[in-house]
Amino acid sequence: MIESLRLHHIAGYCPEEAIWKMIIDLCESVSGQTGVPLLSPESILVDADIFLVDVQQKKVPEFLPPECHGDDSTLTSQQFVWSLGACVYYASSGRTLFGGHGGSYQRSYPHVALPVLQKKHQALTPVVQRCLQSEPSARIGVKELLEIAKKEHTRCRTTQRQHIASHIVAPPPSRHDCTGWPEEMTDIGN
């Protein structure tokens, strides 16, 4: 039996572009919903370059926001944003927040320093820190998060294409390569 690919299988190896795509997909999946899923690396399915939520997965304490510990009530978009921030940190680093204590640690120490992502994912740091605010009203909204993620995903793709294009050097054509072409198309200065 083939196991579905999940975020925990690729955590720590995700390129920045893939993480922005994950944010886009997951924010779009909850836009306009009242009850939203709580995320964890086990609940995020990866299918090629699409990220989906497996709502059958149980809550994982390391990915519960500070206000959710011991509470099974309906989740709000602010709680979704916190768990998404925790998953982004995990996707980038391969580690859980606050030594594996997640939001329970932040509930006990609300002014704990928020994580800074590794150099290759530094552009994600401000967004992750806005997601992981201990006070729900201080967190970034899903709509704003989606707009930022779309812009940054486009930036990553453009930068990557420019990088690839700058390394591609086409060999100059030779007459040998043009055998059978009309003469006006083979005038290459030889």
Side-chain angles (χ1 to χ4, degrees), residues 28-77:
E28 285 178 342
S29 74
V30 301
S31 290
Q33 292 184 11
T34 51
V36 295
L38 198 63
L39 302 173
S40 72
E42 291 79 24
S43 71
I44 299 174
L45 296 166
V46 183
D47 184 10
D49 67 341
I50 299 171
F51 295 85
L52 308 163
V53 180
D54 180 358
V55 293
Q56 301 299 323
Q57 293 293 314
K58 60 184 179 183
K59 294 179 181 180
V60 179
E62 297 89 46
F63 296 90
L64 286 174
E67 67 273 15
C68 280
H69 283 272
D71 184 10
D72 272 347
S73 62
T74 304
L75 300 173
T76 66
S77 61

mmCIF file of all heavy atoms in Angstrom, residues 28-77:
data_model
loop_
_atom_site.group_PDB
_atom_site.id
_atom_site.type_symbol
_atom_site.label_atom_id
_atom_site.label_comp_id
_atom_site.label_asym_id
_atom_site.label_seq_id
_atom_site.Cartn_x
_atom_site.Cartn_y
_atom_site.Cartn_z
ATOM 1 N N GLU A 28 -6.585 29.478 0.304
ATOM 2 C CA GLU A 28 -7.712 29.409 -0.632
ATOM 3 C C GLU A 28 -8.707 28.334 -0.210
ATOM 4 O O GLU A 28 -9.905 28.492 -0.425
ATOM 5 C CB GLU A 28 -7.221 29.155 -2.052
ATOM 6 C CG GLU A 28 -6.595 30.375 -2.684
ATOM 7 C CD GLU A 28 -6.044 30.144 -4.087
ATOM 8 O OE1 GLU A 28 -5.823 28.970 -4.476
ATOM 9 O OE2 GLU A 28 -5.832 31.144 -4.793
ATOM 10 N N SER A 29 -8.233 27.268 0.398
ATOM 11 C CA SER A 29 -9.135 26.185 0.795
ATOM 12 C C SER A 29 -10.063 26.586 1.941
ATOM 13 O O SER A 29 -11.105 25.975 2.114
ATOM 14 C CB SER A 29 -8.347 24.929 1.171
ATOM 15 O OG SER A 29 -7.714 25.080 2.417
ATOM 16 N N VAL A 30 -9.699 27.607 2.725
ATOM 17 C CA VAL A 30 -10.546 28.017 3.850
ATOM 18 C C VAL A 30 -11.235 29.363 3.628
ATOM 19 O O VAL A 30 -12.044 29.768 4.457
ATOM 20 C CB VAL A 30 -9.750 28.068 5.176
ATOM 21 C CG1 VAL A 30 -9.165 26.718 5.494
ATOM 22 C CG2 VAL A 30 -8.694 29.143 5.161
ATOM 23 N N SER A 31 -10.939 30.046 2.541
ATOM 24 C CA SER A 31 -11.548 31.357 2.294
ATOM 25 C C SER A 31 -13.065 31.238 2.265
ATOM 26 O O SER A 31 -13.620 30.404 1.570
ATOM 27 C CB SER A 31 -11.057 31.944 0.971
ATOM 28 O OG SER A 31 -9.710 32.311 1.091
ATOM 29 N N GLY A 32 -13.700 32.059 3.070
ATOM 30 C CA GLY A 32 -15.150 32.087 3.114
ATOM 31 C C GLY A 32 -15.786 31.033 3.999
ATOM 32 O O GLY A 32 -17.003 31.015 4.162
ATOM 33 N N GLN A 33 -15.015 30.145 4.599
ATOM 34 C CA GLN A 33 -15.578 29.122 5.481
ATOM 35 C C GLN A 33 -15.688 29.644 6.903
ATOM 36 O O GLN A 33 -14.881 30.470 7.338
ATOM 37 C CB GLN A 33 -14.695 27.878 5.490
ATOM 38 C CG GLN A 33 -14.681 27.109 4.190
ATOM 39 C CD GLN A 33 -13.857 25.823 4.321
ATOM 40 O OE1 GLN A 33 -13.480 25.423 5.403
ATOM 41 N NE2 GLN A 33 -13.601 25.191 3.198
ATOM 42 N N THR A 34 -16.677 29.164 7.636
ATOM 43 C CA THR A 34 -16.796 29.563 9.041
ATOM 44 C C THR A 34 -15.978 28.636 9.931
ATOM 45 O O THR A 34 -15.176 29.088 10.720
ATOM 46 C CB THR A 34 -18.271 29.558 9.488
ATOM 47 O OG1 THR A 34 -18.844 28.309 9.124
ATOM 48 C CG2 THR A 34 -19.034 30.696 8.838
ATOM 49 N N GLY A 35 -16.154 27.334 9.811
ATOM 50 C CA GLY A 35 -15.337 26.385 10.556
ATOM 51 C C GLY A 35 -14.127 26.016 9.711
ATOM 52 O O GLY A 35 -14.268 25.658 8.546
ATOM 53 N N VAL A 36 -12.951 26.138 10.260
ATOM 54 C CA VAL A 36 -11.737 25.879 9.485
ATOM 55 C C VAL A 36 -10.937 24.754 10.132
ATOM 56 O O VAL A 36 -11.020 24.540 11.339
ATOM 57 C CB VAL A 36 -10.856 27.147 9.344
ATOM 58 C CG1 VAL A 36 -11.572 28.203 8.553
ATOM 59 C CG2 VAL A 36 -10.456 27.684 10.701
ATOM 60 N N PRO A 37 -10.150 24.029 9.334
ATOM 61 C CA PRO A 37 -9.368 22.925 9.901
ATOM 62 C C PRO A 37 -8.118 23.430 10.616
ATOM 63 O O PRO A 37 -7.555 24.445 10.253
ATOM 64 C CB PRO A 37 -8.986 22.108 8.674
ATOM 65 C CG PRO A 37 -8.928 23.111 7.566
ATOM 66 C CD PRO A 37 -9.987 24.131 7.886
ATOM 67 N N LEU A 38 -7.729 22.704 11.633
ATOM 68 C CA LEU A 38 -6.458 22.971 12.286
ATOM 69 C C LEU A 38 -5.415 22.153 11.542
ATOM 70 O O LEU A 38 -5.659 21.004 11.192
ATOM 71 C CB LEU A 38 -6.513 22.556 13.749
ATOM 72 C CG LEU A 38 -5.435 23.148 14.627
ATOM 73 C CD1 LEU A 38 -5.569 24.663 14.670
ATOM 74 C CD2 LEU A 38 -5.554 22.610 16.031
ATOM 75 N N LEU A 39 -4.293 22.742 11.290
ATOM 76 C CA LEU A 39 -3.278 22.097 10.460
ATOM 77 C C LEU A 39 -2.202 21.419 11.294
ATOM 78 O O LEU A 39 -1.938 21.803 12.425
ATOM 79 C CB LEU A 39 -2.624 23.141 9.553
ATOM 80 C CG LEU A 39 -3.562 23.902 8.630
ATOM 81 C CD1 LEU A 39 -2.803 25.010 7.924
ATOM 82 C CD2 LEU A 39 -4.206 22.972 7.633
ATOM 83 N N SER A 40 -1.570 20.449 10.667
ATOM 84 C CA SER A 40 -0.373 19.807 11.199
ATOM 85 C C SER A 40 0.334 19.187 10.003
ATOM 86 O O SER A 40 -0.277 19.028 8.941
ATOM 87 C CB SER A 40 -0.733 18.737 12.227
ATOM 88 O OG SER A 40 -1.293 17.611 11.587
ATOM 89 N N PRO A 41 1.605 18.840 10.126
ATOM 90 C CA PRO A 41 2.306 18.223 9.003
ATOM 91 C C PRO A 41 1.666 16.920 8.531
ATOM 92 O O PRO A 41 1.779 16.561 7.369
ATOM 93 C CB PRO A 41 3.713 17.978 9.540
ATOM 94 C CG PRO A 41 3.865 18.988 10.623
ATOM 95 C CD PRO A 41 2.507 19.130 11.238
ATOM 96 N N GLU A 42 0.980 16.229 9.421
ATOM 97 C CA GLU A 42 0.310 14.985 9.038
ATOM 98 C C GLU A 42 -0.987 15.252 8.275
ATOM 99 O O GLU A 42 -1.472 14.400 7.555
ATOM 100 C CB GLU A 42 0.011 14.120 10.276
ATOM 101 C CG GLU A 42 1.250 13.557 10.923
ATOM 102 C CD GLU A 42 1.991 14.569 11.800
ATOM 103 O OE1 GLU A 42 1.371 15.535 12.294
ATOM 104 O OE2 GLU A 42 3.207 14.415 11.981
ATOM 105 N N SER A 43 -1.587 16.437 8.487
ATOM 106 C CA SER A 43 -2.871 16.734 7.843
ATOM 107 C C SER A 43 -2.715 17.438 6.492
ATOM 108 O O SER A 43 -3.697 17.658 5.809
ATOM 109 C CB SER A 43 -3.741 17.595 8.766
ATOM 110 O OG SER A 43 -3.221 18.906 8.864
ATOM 111 N N ILE A 44 -1.486 17.781 6.115
ATOM 112 C CA ILE A 44 -1.271 18.470 4.837
ATOM 113 C C ILE A 44 -0.762 17.469 3.818
ATOM 114 O O ILE A 44 0.346 16.952 3.921
ATOM 115 C CB ILE A 44 -0.294 19.651 4.992
ATOM 116 C CG1 ILE A 44 -0.851 20.671 5.974
ATOM 117 C CG2 ILE A 44 -0.015 20.287 3.631
ATOM 118 C CD1 ILE A 44 0.086 21.804 6.314
ATOM 119 N N LEU A 45 -1.609 17.188 2.840
ATOM 120 C CA LEU A 45 -1.270 16.262 1.756
ATOM 121 C C LEU A 45 -0.556 17.022 0.652
ATOM 122 O O LEU A 45 -0.914 18.170 0.346
ATOM 123 C CB LEU A 45 -2.538 15.629 1.191
ATOM 124 C CG LEU A 45 -3.329 14.747 2.153
ATOM 125 C CD1 LEU A 45 -4.717 14.466 1.596
ATOM 126 C CD2 LEU A 45 -2.590 13.453 2.394
ATOM 127 N N VAL A 46 0.432 16.398 0.041
ATOM 128 C CA VAL A 46 1.181 17.010 -1.051
ATOM 129 C C VAL A 46 0.959 16.157 -2.294
ATOM 130 O O VAL A 46 1.291 14.973 -2.313
ATOM 131 C CB VAL A 46 2.697 17.079 -0.713
ATOM 132 C CG1 VAL A 46 3.451 17.785 -1.827
ATOM 133 C CG2 VAL A 46 2.920 17.766 0.620
ATOM 134 N N ASP A 47 0.377 16.771 -3.322
ATOM 135 C CA ASP A 47 0.118 16.079 -4.577
ATOM 136 C C ASP A 47 0.756 16.907 -5.683
ATOM 137 O O ASP A 47 0.181 17.915 -6.112
ATOM 138 C CB ASP A 47 -1.383 15.912 -4.801
ATOM 139 C CG ASP A 47 -1.709 15.117 -6.049
ATOM 140 O OD1 ASP A 47 -0.787 14.537 -6.649
ATOM 141 O OD2 ASP A 47 -2.892 15.087 -6.433
ATOM 142 N N ALA A 48 1.963 16.523 -6.114
ATOM 143 C CA ALA A 48 2.768 17.294 -7.081
ATOM 144 C C ALA A 48 3.031 18.666 -6.471
ATOM 145 O O ALA A 48 3.718 18.766 -5.477
ATOM 146 C CB ALA A 48 2.089 17.355 -8.430
ATOM 147 N N ASP A 49 2.450 19.729 -7.034
ATOM 148 C CA ASP A 49 2.663 21.065 -6.467
ATOM 149 C C ASP A 49 1.377 21.616 -5.858
ATOM 150 O O ASP A 49 1.194 22.817 -5.748
ATOM 151 C CB ASP A 49 3.226 22.020 -7.520
ATOM 152 C CG ASP A 49 2.238 22.316 -8.621
ATOM 153 O OD1 ASP A 49 1.275 21.547 -8.798
ATOM 154 O OD2 ASP A 49 2.409 23.341 -9.318
ATOM 155 N N ILE A 50 0.487 20.727 -5.424
ATOM 156 C CA ILE A 50 -0.764 21.130 -4.793
ATOM 157 C C ILE A 50 -0.758 20.638 -3.350
ATOM 158 O O ILE A 50 -0.374 19.503 -3.060
ATOM 159 C CB ILE A 50 -1.974 20.532 -5.552
ATOM 160 C CG1 ILE A 50 -1.978 21.051 -6.990
ATOM 161 C CG2 ILE A 50 -3.281 20.866 -4.850
ATOM 162 C CD1 ILE A 50 -2.991 20.376 -7.877
ATOM 163 N N PHE A 51 -1.191 21.510 -2.440
ATOM 164 C CA PHE A 51 -1.258 21.176 -1.022
ATOM 165 C C PHE A 51 -2.726 21.140 -0.604
ATOM 166 O O PHE A 51 -3.473 22.078 -0.863
ATOM 167 C CB PHE A 51 -0.486 22.212 -0.198
ATOM 168 C CG PHE A 51 0.984 22.207 -0.478
ATOM 169 C CD1 PHE A 51 1.503 22.932 -1.547
ATOM 170 C CD2 PHE A 51 1.857 21.481 0.305
ATOM 171 C CE1 PHE A 51 2.863 22.932 -1.835
ATOM 172 C CE2 PHE A 51 3.225 21.464 0.037
ATOM 173 C CZ PHE A 51 3.724 22.193 -1.029
ATOM 174 N N LEU A 52 -3.124 20.043 0.030
ATOM 175 C CA LEU A 52 -4.510 19.833 0.439
ATOM 176 C C LEU A 52 -4.561 19.512 1.927
ATOM 177 O O LEU A 52 -3.577 19.046 2.501
ATOM 178 C CB LEU A 52 -5.116 18.657 -0.345
ATOM 179 C CG LEU A 52 -4.988 18.723 -1.864
ATOM 180 C CD1 LEU A 52 -5.222 17.356 -2.475
ATOM 181 C CD2 LEU A 52 -5.965 19.733 -2.418
ATOM 182 N N VAL A 53 -5.737 19.726 2.531
ATOM 183 C CA VAL A 53 -5.904 19.419 3.949
ATOM 184 C C VAL A 53 -6.708 18.135 4.096
ATOM 185 O O VAL A 53 -7.786 18.003 3.530
ATOM 186 C CB VAL A 53 -6.633 20.564 4.683
ATOM 187 C CG1 VAL A 53 -6.807 20.223 6.159
ATOM 188 C CG2 VAL A 53 -5.886 21.867 4.535
ATOM 189 N N ASP A 54 -6.159 17.207 4.860
ATOM 190 C CA ASP A 54 -6.863 15.982 5.206
ATOM 191 C C ASP A 54 -7.579 16.247 6.532
ATOM 192 O O ASP A 54 -6.963 16.235 7.590
ATOM 193 C CB ASP A 54 -5.861 14.831 5.354
ATOM 194 C CG ASP A 54 -6.521 13.512 5.708
ATOM 195 O OD1 ASP A 54 -7.753 13.475 5.885
ATOM 196 O OD2 ASP A 54 -5.795 12.509 5.811
ATOM 197 N N VAL A 55 -8.877 16.519 6.457
ATOM 198 C CA VAL A 55 -9.617 16.906 7.659
ATOM 199 C C VAL A 55 -9.860 15.735 8.612
ATOM 200 O O VAL A 55 -10.324 15.928 9.723
ATOM 201 C CB VAL A 55 -10.965 17.572 7.292
ATOM 202 C CG1 VAL A 55 -10.726 18.902 6.614
ATOM 203 C CG2 VAL A 55 -11.816 16.667 6.423
ATOM 204 N N GLN A 56 -9.526 14.527 8.199
ATOM 205 C CA GLN A 56 -9.711 13.354 9.054
ATOM 206 C C GLN A 56 -8.615 13.242 10.117
ATOM 207 O O GLN A 56 -8.738 12.443 11.034
ATOM 208 C CB GLN A 56 -9.721 12.073 8.198
ATOM 209 C CG GLN A 56 -10.795 12.044 7.138
ATOM 210 C CD GLN A 56 -12.188 12.115 7.728
ATOM 211 O OE1 GLN A 56 -12.463 11.555 8.770
ATOM 212 N NE2 GLN A 56 -13.073 12.834 7.059
ATOM 213 N N GLN A 57 -7.549 14.005 9.980
ATOM 214 C CA GLN A 57 -6.438 13.907 10.923
ATOM 215 C C GLN A 57 -6.802 14.560 12.256
ATOM 216 O O GLN A 57 -7.555 15.519 12.316
ATOM 217 C CB GLN A 57 -5.188 14.580 10.349
ATOM 218 C CG GLN A 57 -4.615 13.882 9.143
ATOM 219 C CD GLN A 57 -4.056 12.520 9.490
ATOM 220 O OE1 GLN A 57 -3.344 12.370 10.463
ATOM 221 N NE2 GLN A 57 -4.394 11.527 8.688
ATOM 222 N N LYS A 58 -6.244 14.022 13.333
ATOM 223 C CA LYS A 58 -6.520 14.560 14.663
ATOM 224 C C LYS A 58 -5.615 15.756 14.955
ATOM 225 O O LYS A 58 -4.615 15.988 14.281
ATOM 226 C CB LYS A 58 -6.324 13.482 15.717
ATOM 227 C CG LYS A 58 -4.917 12.914 15.758
ATOM 228 C CD LYS A 58 -4.814 11.794 16.752
ATOM 229 C CE LYS A 58 -3.389 11.264 16.727
ATOM 230 N NZ LYS A 58 -3.181 10.149 17.574
ATOM 231 N N LYS A 59 -5.983 16.485 15.978
ATOM 232 C CA LYS A 59 -5.197 17.651 16.389
ATOM 233 C C LYS A 59 -3.855 17.201 16.961
ATOM 234 O O LYS A 59 -3.774 16.202 17.669
ATOM 235 C CB LYS A 59 -5.959 18.456 17.427
ATOM 236 C CG LYS A 59 -7.227 19.088 16.892
ATOM 237 C CD LYS A 59 -7.947 19.846 17.968
ATOM 238 C CE LYS A 59 -9.222 20.448 17.424
ATOM 239 N NZ LYS A 59 -9.951 21.202 18.434
ATOM 240 N N VAL A 60 -2.826 17.947 16.632
ATOM 241 C CA VAL A 60 -1.481 17.649 17.103
ATOM 242 C C VAL A 60 -1.056 18.800 18.017
ATOM 243 O O VAL A 60 -1.015 19.953 17.580
ATOM 244 C CB VAL A 60 -0.500 17.501 15.913
ATOM 245 C CG1 VAL A 60 0.903 17.227 16.406
ATOM 246 C CG2 VAL A 60 -0.974 16.401 14.976
ATOM 247 N N PRO A 61 -0.752 18.531 19.304
ATOM 248 C CA PRO A 61 -0.470 19.604 20.272
ATOM 249 C C PRO A 61 0.602 20.600 19.835
ATOM 250 O O PRO A 61 0.487 21.793 20.121
ATOM 251 C CB PRO A 61 -0.025 18.842 21.523
ATOM 252 C CG PRO A 61 -0.629 17.494 21.392
ATOM 253 C CD PRO A 61 -0.694 17.212 19.914
ATOM 254 N N GLU A 62 1.642 20.145 19.120
ATOM 255 C CA GLU A 62 2.709 21.062 18.708
ATOM 256 C C GLU A 62 2.227 22.122 17.715
ATOM 257 O O GLU A 62 2.901 23.113 17.500
ATOM 258 C CB GLU A 62 3.874 20.306 18.059
ATOM 259 C CG GLU A 62 4.571 19.332 18.959
ATOM 260 C CD GLU A 62 3.944 17.952 18.925
ATOM 261 O OE1 GLU A 62 3.661 17.458 17.842
ATOM 262 O OE2 GLU A 62 3.726 17.384 20.015
ATOM 263 N N PHE A 63 1.061 21.900 17.106
ATOM 264 C CA PHE A 63 0.555 22.815 16.090
ATOM 265 C C PHE A 63 -0.746 23.486 16.516
ATOM 266 O O PHE A 63 -1.443 24.080 15.700
ATOM 267 C CB PHE A 63 0.404 22.074 14.756
ATOM 268 C CG PHE A 63 1.731 21.601 14.249
ATOM 269 C CD1 PHE A 63 2.213 20.353 14.599
ATOM 270 C CD2 PHE A 63 2.538 22.431 13.487
ATOM 271 C CE1 PHE A 63 3.473 19.931 14.182
ATOM 272 C CE2 PHE A 63 3.796 22.016 13.069
ATOM 273 C CZ PHE A 63 4.262 20.770 13.424
ATOM 274 N N LEU A 64 -1.063 23.395 17.829
ATOM 275 C CA LEU A 64 -2.239 24.068 18.368
ATOM 276 C C LEU A 64 -1.864 25.457 18.846
ATOM 277 O O LEU A 64 -0.872 25.629 19.556
ATOM 278 C CB LEU A 64 -2.808 23.283 19.554
ATOM 279 C CG LEU A 64 -3.547 21.987 19.247
ATOM 280 C CD1 LEU A 64 -3.906 21.271 20.545
ATOM 281 C CD2 LEU A 64 -4.784 22.252 18.430
ATOM 282 N N PRO A 65 -2.650 26.472 18.484
ATOM 283 C CA PRO A 65 -2.369 27.823 18.973
ATOM 284 C C PRO A 65 -2.533 27.918 20.496
ATOM 285 O O PRO A 65 -3.169 27.056 21.106
ATOM 286 C CB PRO A 65 -3.402 28.688 18.255
ATOM 287 C CG PRO A 65 -4.305 27.794 17.527
ATOM 288 C CD PRO A 65 -3.793 26.405 17.602
ATOM 289 N N PRO A 66 -1.979 28.944 21.098
ATOM 290 C CA PRO A 66 -2.004 29.057 22.563
ATOM 291 C C PRO A 66 -3.415 28.972 23.151
ATOM 292 O O PRO A 66 -3.611 28.351 24.191
ATOM 293 C CB PRO A 66 -1.403 30.433 22.835
ATOM 294 C CG PRO A 66 -0.676 30.815 21.614
ATOM 295 C CD PRO A 66 -1.284 30.064 20.473
ATOM 296 N N GLU A 67 -4.381 29.550 22.486
ATOM 297 C CA GLU A 67 -5.737 29.592 23.037
ATOM 298 C C GLU A 67 -6.531 28.301 22.835
ATOM 299 O O GLU A 67 -7.630 28.161 23.340
ATOM 300 C CB GLU A 67 -6.522 30.781 22.446
ATOM 301 C CG GLU A 67 -6.827 30.669 20.966
ATOM 302 C CD GLU A 67 -5.728 31.186 20.043
ATOM 303 O OE1 GLU A 67 -4.578 31.390 20.488
ATOM 304 O OE2 GLU A 67 -6.031 31.387 18.855
ATOM 305 N N CYS A 68 -5.988 27.326 22.110
ATOM 306 C CA CYS A 68 -6.717 26.092 21.796
ATOM 307 C C CYS A 68 -6.388 24.914 22.683
ATOM 308 O O CYS A 68 -7.043 23.890 22.597
ATOM 309 C CB CYS A 68 -6.448 25.668 20.352
ATOM 310 S SG CYS A 68 -7.422 26.570 19.178
ATOM 311 N N HIS A 69 -5.399 24.974 23.495
ATOM 312 C CA HIS A 69 -4.992 23.799 24.268
ATOM 313 C C HIS A 69 -6.084 23.396 25.246
ATOM 314 O O HIS A 69 -6.553 24.198 26.044
ATOM 315 C CB HIS A 69 -3.654 24.045 24.971
ATOM 316 C CG HIS A 69 -2.524 23.934 24.006
ATOM 317 N ND1 HIS A 69 -1.913 22.740 23.734
ATOM 318 C CD2 HIS A 69 -1.950 24.836 23.188
ATOM 319 C CE1 HIS A 69 -0.990 22.919 22.810
ATOM 320 N NE2 HIS A 69 -0.996 24.187 22.465
ATOM 321 N N GLY A 70 -6.522 22.145 25.121
ATOM 322 C CA GLY A 70 -7.584 21.615 25.962
ATOM 323 C C GLY A 70 -8.973 22.026 25.510
ATOM 324 O O GLY A 70 -9.951 21.766 26.175
ATOM 325 N N ASP A 71 -9.090 22.644 24.342
ATOM 326 C CA ASP A 71 -10.378 23.128 23.858
ATOM 327 C C ASP A 71 -10.676 22.489 22.507
ATOM 328 O O ASP A 71 -9.875 22.567 21.594
ATOM 329 C CB ASP A 71 -10.308 24.657 23.724
ATOM 330 C CG ASP A 71 -11.641 25.268 23.319
ATOM 331 O OD1 ASP A 71 -12.652 24.551 23.327
ATOM 332 O OD2 ASP A 71 -11.644 26.464 23.003
ATOM 333 N N ASP A 72 -11.843 21.874 22.367
ATOM 334 C CA ASP A 72 -12.247 21.237 21.113
ATOM 335 C C ASP A 72 -13.311 22.043 20.376
ATOM 336 O O ASP A 72 -14.022 21.516 19.541
ATOM 337 C CB ASP A 72 -12.775 19.823 21.373
ATOM 338 C CG ASP A 72 -11.671 18.791 21.363
ATOM 339 O OD1 ASP A 72 -10.568 19.119 20.915
ATOM 340 O OD2 ASP A 72 -11.923 17.664 21.810
ATOM 341 N N SER A 73 -13.428 23.316 20.684
ATOM 342 C CA SER A 73 -14.459 24.135 20.048
ATOM 343 C C SER A 73 -14.144 24.366 18.574
ATOM 344 O O SER A 73 -13.063 24.053 18.098
ATOM 345 C CB SER A 73 -14.572 25.483 20.765
ATOM 346 O OG SER A 73 -13.355 26.187 20.664
ATOM 347 N N THR A 74 -15.104 24.938 17.859
ATOM 348 C CA THR A 74 -14.916 25.246 16.443
ATOM 349 C C THR A 74 -13.761 26.223 16.294
ATOM 350 O O THR A 74 -13.614 27.159 17.072
ATOM 351 C CB THR A 74 -16.200 25.876 15.864
ATOM 352 O OG1 THR A 74 -17.278 24.985 16.114
ATOM 353 C CG2 THR A 74 -16.065 26.116 14.384
ATOM 354 N N LEU A 75 -12.959 26.002 15.288
ATOM 355 C CA LEU A 75 -11.771 26.829 15.085
ATOM 356 C C LEU A 75 -12.101 28.077 14.281
ATOM 357 O O LEU A 75 -12.941 28.050 13.385
ATOM 358 C CB LEU A 75 -10.700 26.011 14.375
ATOM 359 C CG LEU A 75 -10.258 24.767 15.123
ATOM 360 C CD1 LEU A 75 -9.334 23.942 14.267
ATOM 361 C CD2 LEU A 75 -9.591 25.146 16.421
ATOM 362 N N THR A 76 -11.403 29.132 14.582
ATOM 363 C CA THR A 76 -11.577 30.390 13.857
ATOM 364 C C THR A 76 -10.452 30.545 12.840
ATOM 365 O O THR A 76 -9.474 29.797 12.864
ATOM 366 C CB THR A 76 -11.535 31.586 14.830
ATOM 367 O OG1 THR A 76 -10.206 31.665 15.386
ATOM 368 C CG2 THR A 76 -12.558 31.442 15.938
ATOM 369 N N SER A 77 -10.586 31.554 11.993
ATOM 370 C CA SER A 77 -9.534 31.796 11.002
ATOM 371 C C SER A 77 -8.226 32.223 11.678
ATOM 372 O O SER A 77 -7.150 31.912 11.178
ATOM 373 C CB SER A 77 -9.986 32.837 9.974
ATOM 374 O OG SER A 77 -10.272 34.067 10.604
#
